[in-house]
């Protein structure tokens, strides 16, 4: 991603942490990024385009974190536990990620439509942002399917594919329930819930 575009997205994210999206001004985003307002419009086309690009970037960052979590310890249950912990951490630290995972967009946040919008942008990254954005259900499927693929590639596992897929989906949905209603620390948090719920024979 070109440096100017990344700087503009960083500036928009910082501005959003300080004020509602409705109060974020394009001219201020451009000034904070150290570029002209014309450069901002060339990159994103409009404030709606900037919102879509920001959501797309945060979605990509969240999914990259899932990949890192799944590449951890060899034990499949620990990989799924790490993934669930990442989901909790990302949702706690990033209001946009939390909104994307739950579908609950507050008035402070941009809330672009998830369906694709017409795009005349010459910027490839913006054309991608103008395409479909993931729904909460999409995130469940993306993380579940990636987990199944990674764990199948980690070597022969005792459970059949159907059970592995169910275990992966269970871990994802448990984490999402904890995003919506965080467990008390004395209960062991999401890690303990996932370890307890997953079948013992998932362990390699």
């Amino acid at each position: 991603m070109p440096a100017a575009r990344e700087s503009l997205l960083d500036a928009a994210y910082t501005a959003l942490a300080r004020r509602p999206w409705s109060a974020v001004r394009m001219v201020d985003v451009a000034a904070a990024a150290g570029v002209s307002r014309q450069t901002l419009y060339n990159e994103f086309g409009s404030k709606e385009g900037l919102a879509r690009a920001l959501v797309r970037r945060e979605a990509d960052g969240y999914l990259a974190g899932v990949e890192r979590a799944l590449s951890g310890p060899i034990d499949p249950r620990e990989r799924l536990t790490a993934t669930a912990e990442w989901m909790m951490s990302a949702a706690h630290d990033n209001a946009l990620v939390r909104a994307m995972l739950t579908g609950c967009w507050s008035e402070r946040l941009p809330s672009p439509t998830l369906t694709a919008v017409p795009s005349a942008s010459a910027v490839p990254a913006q054309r991608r942002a103008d395409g479909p954005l993931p729904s909460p259900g999409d995130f469940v499927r993306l993380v579940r399917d990636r987990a199944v693929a990674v764990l199948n590639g980690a070597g022969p596992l005792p459970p059949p594919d159907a059970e592995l897929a169910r275990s992966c989906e269970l871990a994802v949905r448990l984490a999402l329930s904890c995003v919506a209603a965080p467990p008390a620390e004395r209960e062991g948090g999401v890690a303990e819930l996932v370890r307890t719920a997953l079948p013992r024979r998932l362990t390699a």
Side-chain angles (χ1 to χ4, degrees):
M1 182 178 292
R5 184 178 179 87
E6 189 67 23
S7 295
L8 286 162
L9 289 171
D10 287 343
Y13 185 85
T14 299
L16 181 59
R18 296 174 179 161
R19 61 185 70 93
W21 183 251
S22 59
V24 172
R25 300 192 312 158
M26 297 287 270
V27 63
D28 295 333
V29 171
V35 302
S36 69
R37 187 166 51 172
Q38 187 59 52
T39 297
L40 188 156
Y41 280 101
N42 288 344
E43 281 291 330
F44 304 104
S46 65
K47 189 176 180 182
E48 171 70 10
L50 176 60
R52 295 187 70 85
L54 185 58
V55 169
R56 180 76 263 177
R57 184 182 75 162
E58 300 311 305
D60 290 346
Y62 163 75
L63 292 172
V66 167
E67 289 283 349
R68 290 191 297 272
L70 286 170
S71 68
I74 293 176
D75 183 280
R77 290 197 334 152
E78 289 307 310
R79 289 193 188 200
L80 291 176
T81 299
T83 302
E85 289 180 314
W86 161 251
M87 292 171 64
M88 283 284 294
S89 171
H92 178 271
D93 296 341
N94 189 320
L96 283 173
V97 169
R98 185 164 58 252
M100 285 186 281
L101 294 183
T102 63
C104 299
W105 296 83
S106 76
E107 293 179 358
R108 289 188 55 85
L109 299 176
S111 54
T113 59
L114 298 182
T115 55
V117 297
S119 180
S121 178
V123 180
Q126 190 59 38
R127 289 199 301 273
R128 180 168 179 261
D130 289 339
L133 296 172
S135 69
D138 292 332
F139 279 114
V140 170
R141 288 188 293 275
L142 286 166
V143 177
R144 178 201 63 203
D145 292 350
R146 186 61 191 140
V148 170
V150 169
L151 296 182
N152 265 333
L157 294 172
D161 288 344
E163 185 171 346
L164 176 60
R166 281 195 300 272
S167 294
C168 292
E169 182 152 352
L170 175 61
V172 172
R173 291 192 180 278
L174 270 175
L176 286 176
S177 73
C178 291
V179 167
E185 284 300 320
R186 65 180 181 276
E187 297 171 356
V190 68
E192 185 62 26
L193 283 172
V194 170
R195 288 191 186 103
T196 301
L198 291 178
R200 292 276 177 197
R201 65 196 185 110
L202 187 64
T203 303

